[in-house]
C-alpha cells in the first residue's frame, strides 16, 4: 500500500482540504516507489500549485503564439556557417523570456508538446523556404529538436509533411534531432518513421550522443546522418583525458559508419582545436555564437 498522511491539530481545515492533502501525500508515496508513507507538507502543495499555474500559462501561450525560435549557428571545419539549430523560447507576459529547460518537460507530460512542436516546425519550415530563395543561403540546414512523445505520436509523419508542404520548405535542409533512447523503444515504429522521412530527404542527427545507451546495430540499421557529441564531453576537453578519449571514440565511430559528426557546446579555442585534431568536422557553441534572433543570425552570416 501507499499511504498519505495529513495532520490537522492546530490549523482549522475543511474535510475536503484535508482529503486533498492526504491524497496528494499518497501520490507522493506512490511516486517514491510505493509500499511507503508520506506526510503532507505545504511545499508539496506549493510545487503542485506552481505546476498547475505553469500549465495554464503554457496553454494560454500556445493560443497566443507566445513562443519564438532562436537560431544557433553551426559551422564547418573552416568555421563557415552551414546552418543552425532552432531553439524555442517563451515570451512570457510577466516574466520575460523563459528558456526551454523550464517548460519542455511539462509540455511533454501534458501532451502540449505536440502543439508546441507544430508551432516550432512551422516557424522553421517558413524560414527554410525564405532561405531557399536566396542563393547564398539556399543550402543552409536547420536542426529541430524532437521530443520522444512527439516522435511517438501516430500523427508525427503527417505533422512533418504538413509543415514542409504548407511552408514550401526544402525537406533536404531540415534536420531532426532525436536522442539515442528514442531509437531503442518501439523499433518497428521508429524504422518506419525514419525511413519514410529519409525518403523525402529529411536528415537525422543524434542529439546528446554518448549520454544514453548506444546500440551499434541500430546505428547501422537506421538512416542516421550525424552524431552530435554531447556538450558534457566537450566541456572538460583539455582538462579531462577521458573526455578526449570519448570525443575521439565518437568521431571514429561516426566516420567508420559513414556518418557526419558535430560537437555542441564549444566555448573555447582550446576545445575547438582539440576537436579539430580528433577529426570532428562541425561545431556549434558560444565560441562561434550563442543562439540569436533570425535578424542577428543573418547579420552574423554576412559579417
Ligand atoms: P539541446 O538540444 O542539448 O540544446 C543545446 C543547449 O545548449 C541549448 O540550450 C543551447 O542554448 C545551449 N548551448 C549552446 N551552446 C552552448 C555553449 O557553448 N555553452 C553552453 N553552456 N550552452 C550552450 P537551450 O536553448 O536552453 O535548450 C535546452 C534544451 O531544450 C535543448 O537542449 C533541447 O533539448 C530542448 N529544446 C530546445 N528547443 C526545443 C524544441 O523546439 N523542441 C523540443 N522538444 N525541445 C527543445
Ligand atoms: Ca539539440
Ligand atoms: Ca544536445
Amino acid at each position: 500500500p501507499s499511504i498519505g498522511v495529513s495532520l490537522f491539530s492546530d490549523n482549522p481545515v475543511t474535510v475536503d482540504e484535508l482529503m486533498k492533502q492526504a491524497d496528494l501525500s499518497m501520490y507522493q508515496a506512490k511516486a517514491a516507489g510505493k509500499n511507503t508513507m508520506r506526510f503532507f507538507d505545504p511545499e508539496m502543495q506549493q510545487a503542485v500549485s506552481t505546476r498547475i499555474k505553469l500549465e495554464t500559462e503554457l496553454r494560454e501561450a500556445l493560443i497566443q503564439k507566445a513562443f519564438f525560435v532562436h537560431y544557433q549557428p553551426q559551422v564547418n571545419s573552416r568555421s563557415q556557417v552551414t546552418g543552425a539549430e532552432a531553439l524555442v523560447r517563451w515570451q512570457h507576459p510577466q516574466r520575460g523570456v523563459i528558456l526551454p529547460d523550464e517548460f519542455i518537460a511539462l509540455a511533454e507530460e501534458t501532451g502540449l508538446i505536440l502543439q508546441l512542436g507544430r508551432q516550432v516546425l512551422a516557424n522553421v519550415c517558413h524560414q527554410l523556404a525564405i532561405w531557399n530563395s536566396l542563393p547564398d543561403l539556399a543550402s543552409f540546414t536547420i536542426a529541430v529538436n524532437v521530443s520522444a512523445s512527439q516522435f511517438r505520436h501516430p500523427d508525427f509523419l503527417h505533422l512533418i509533411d504538413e509543415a514542409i508542404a504548407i511552408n514550401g520548405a526544402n525537406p533536404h535542409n531540415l534536420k531532426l534531432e532525436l536522442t539515442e533512447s528514442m531509437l531503442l523503444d518501439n523499433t518497428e515504429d521508429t524504422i518506419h518513421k525514419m525511413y519514410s522521412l529519409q525518403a523525402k530527404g529529411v536528415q537525422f542527427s543524434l542529439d546528446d550522443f554518448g549520454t544514453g545507451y548506444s546500440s551499434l546495430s541500430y546505428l547501422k540499421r537506421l538512416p542516421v546522418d550525424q552524431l552530435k557529441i554531447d556538450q558534457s564531453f566537450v566541456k572538460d576537453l583539455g582538462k579531462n583525458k577521458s573526455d578526449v578519449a570519448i570525443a575521439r571514440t565518437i568521431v571514429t565511430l561516426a566516420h567508420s559508419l559513414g556518418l557526419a559528426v558535430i560537437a555542441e557546446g564549444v566555448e573555447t579555442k582550446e576545445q575547438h582545436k582539440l576537436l579539430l585534431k580528433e577529426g570532428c568536422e562541425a561545431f556549434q557553441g558560444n565560441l562561434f555564437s550563442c543562439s540569436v534572433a533570425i535578424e542577428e543570425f543573418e547579420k552574423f552570416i554576412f559579417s
Side-chain angles (χ1 to χ4, degrees):
S2 299
I3 303 173
V5 183
S6 187
L7 302 173
F8 62 106
S9 52
D10 299 332
N11 309 334
V13 283
T14 62
V15 172
D16 235 23
E17 194 61 24
L18 199 59
M19 287 305 289
K20 259 193 220 152
Q21 294 178 353
D23 202 40
L24 196 60
S25 317
M26 188 261 293
Y27 278 109
Q28 295 285 324
K30 283 194 178 196
K34 302 186 179 159
N35 193 21
T36 184
M37 180 174 82
R38 284 289 177 274
F39 281 91
F40 174 76
D41 120 37
E43 271 180 27
M44 247 182 224
Q45 187 130 35
Q46 188 56 45
V48 172
S49 308
T50 307
R51 197 192 129 101
I52 291 173
K53 181 157 181 271
L54 197 65
E55 184 181 337
T56 313
E57 291 175 340
L58 257 183
R59 286 183 196 279
E60 183 59 26
L62 283 167
I63 297 168
Q64 300 295 338
K65 298 218 161 41
F67 296 97
F68 62 97
V69 178
H70 267 176
Y71 293 86
Q72 184 172 37
Q74 296 185 333
V75 304
N76 62 18
S77 52
R78 283 173 288 160
S79 296
Q80 295 159 326
V81 181
T82 57
E85 177 178 6
L87 295 157
V88 69
R89 272 93 184 89
W90 175 5
Q91 186 67 53
H92 189 283
Q94 283 87 39
R95 297 170 56 198
V97 176
I98 303 186
L99 293 176
D101 282 342
E102 225 186 294
F103 60 86
I104 290 289
L106 185 64
E108 283 181 3
E109 285 165 37
T110 51
L112 294 172
I113 193 75
L114 291 178
Q115 276 185 65
L116 177 59
R118 182 180 283 141
Q119 291 187 9
V120 171
L121 264 172
N123 217 308
V124 163
C125 287
H126 175 72
Q127 195 54 52
L128 279 177
I130 295 176
W131 283 351
N132 211 32
S133 64
L134 305 170
D136 288 342
L137 306 178
S139 65
F140 274 34
T141 56
I142 301 181
V144 185
N145 292 285
V146 176
S147 288
S149 52
Q150 231 178 323
F151 186 66
R152 284 286 153 249
H153 198 276
D155 262 359
F156 181 70
L157 288 180
H158 174 69
L159 209 113
I160 304 279
D161 284 344
E162 188 188 63
I164 290 173
I166 289 179
N167 294 287
N170 180 352
H172 291 91
N173 295 342
L174 178 65
K175 200 187 281 179
L176 300 181
E177 291 200 0
L178 310 179
T179 56
E180 294 156 276
S181 56
M182 285 158 68
L183 306 186
L184 295 177
D185 71 63
N186 205 346
T187 353
E188 288 313 307
D189 182 56
T190 303
I191 292 174
H192 167 66
K193 284 177 174 161
M194 287 182 78
Y195 276 103
S196 306
L197 288 168
Q198 187 207 32
K200 298 193 167 91
V202 175
Q203 300 179 51
F204 292 96
S205 180
L206 275 192
D207 204 0
D208 307 336
F209 193 81
T211 60
Y213 290 105
S214 315
S215 159
L216 299 187
S217 71
Y218 289 149
L219 274 188
K220 204 181 72 179
R221 273 174 68 196
L222 292 168
V224 171
D225 300 280
Q226 183 184 59
L227 304 184
K228 195 169 197 182
I229 304 175
D230 186 64
Q231 48 182 297
S232 62
F233 305 124
V234 174
K235 197 164 157 262
D236 289 335
L237 281 176
K239 281 183 238 150
N240 188 331
K241 280 218 166 60
S242 59
D243 282 343
V244 179
I246 290 173
R248 178 181 305 143
T249 307
I250 297 177
V251 172
T252 309
L253 175 66
H255 289 164
S256 42
L257 290 169
L259 308 177
V261 62
I262 183 168
E264 71 176 341
V266 182
E267 289 180 345
T268 67
K269 287 195 170 130
E270 189 188 14
Q271 292 164 347
H272 184 212
K273 217 170 109 191
L274 276 167
L275 286 160
L276 269 171
K277 187 167 151 254
E278 296 305 335
C280 184
E281 73 255 356
F283 309 87
Q284 178 186 337
N286 295 348
L287 175 64
F288 308 97
S289 163
C290 58
S291 62
V292 292
I294 194 68
E295 298 77 22
E296 266 177 86
F297 179 84
E298 289 179 348
K299 252 190 245 160
F300 178 81
I301 300 165
F302 294 115
S303 67

